[in-house]
Amino acid sequence: MRHTAPAAGRDMVAIMNEVLELASGLKVLEVGAGSGYHAATIAEVVGPEGHVYTIERVEELVRFARQNLERAGYSDRVTLVQGDGSLGYADRAPYDRIVVTAAAPEVPPKLVEQLNTNGILVLPVGGRFFPQELVRIRKKPGGRVERSSLGGVAFVPLVGEHGFKD
């Protein structure tokens, strides 16, 4: 079994991490744990002063990601939970950064609610398959949001209450 992301996946992880403006000490929510690779790259940047929470709905991927994160030494900096990522993870909100690794039909309102003031949310938005665009949301004081498009992308669909239906 592969334990690293394919080259195209690694490139997208790097792009998403860059537009998240990650820094030491941040609390980050990742929606869609997959193999755990993206969470590990975030944990490396936010360091021991920060923390990554990652939520995954598919039980097999939760087990796979947990094994990979433990094996790579990130289980102390990454908390993995199973659930509907389109609802976020309110138990540890608010977050400084939120990244979604599956395309939503629109920006899930619960994710915006769980974002700190001056926080950044990055996610693909669009159709179940195409077209999709990578979107960055900045939450300003008073709850106002600034939205910017970062270009076309192709992601699997986000399934859940504020995503696509199975």
Side-chain angles (χ1 to χ4, degrees):
M1 233 181 239
R2 285 184 77 125
H3 295 288
T4 60
R10 288 193 308 266
D11 292 346
M12 185 52 63
V13 165
I15 290 166
M16 293 176 92
N17 285 358
E18 183 176 332
V19 298
L20 280 167
E21 300 174 16
L22 296 171
S24 180
L26 294 179
K27 181 166 58 166
V28 180
L29 173 65
E30 176 197 36
V31 175
S35 68
Y37 176 81
H38 198 162
T41 67
I42 294 169
E44 192 63 32
V45 177
V46 301
E49 303 82 17
H51 199 84
V52 180
Y53 296 88
T54 184
I55 186 164
E56 173 60 57
R57 70 179 198 87
V58 179
E59 185 177 346
E60 294 150 8
L61 288 176
V62 171
R63 284 195 303 270
F64 183 57
R66 184 168 283 123
Q67 290 170 352
N68 287 338
L69 290 164
E70 286 173 1
R71 189 174 20 250
Y74 289 101
S75 56
D76 61 332
R77 291 190 267 166
V78 178
T79 299
L80 181 62
V81 295
Q82 185 173 1
D84 180 351
S86 74
L87 299 174
Y89 185 53
D91 290 2
R92 297 292 185 224
Y95 302 96
D96 302 306
R97 303 290 187 268
I98 299 175
V99 61
V100 182
T101 61
E106 53 191 46
V107 177
K110 294 286 186 185
L111 296 182
V112 176
E113 288 173 19
Q114 293 173 28
L115 193 60
N116 258 330
T117 299
N118 298 317
I120 297 173
L121 163 63
V122 174
L123 76 162
V125 176
R128 187 175 188 99
F129 299 106
F130 301 107
Q132 299 170 359
E133 67 175 330
L134 190 61
V135 171
R136 178 174 47 204
I137 303 288
R138 290 182 185 268
K139 190 171 184 181
K140 298 297 192 175
R144 186 175 62 84
V145 297
E146 287 181 353
R147 178 180 172 144
S148 55
S149 174
L150 305 172
V153 292
F155 280 80
V156 298
L158 177 67
V159 175
E161 186 174 324
H162 292 285
F164 295 95
K165 306 306 174 215
D166 266 336

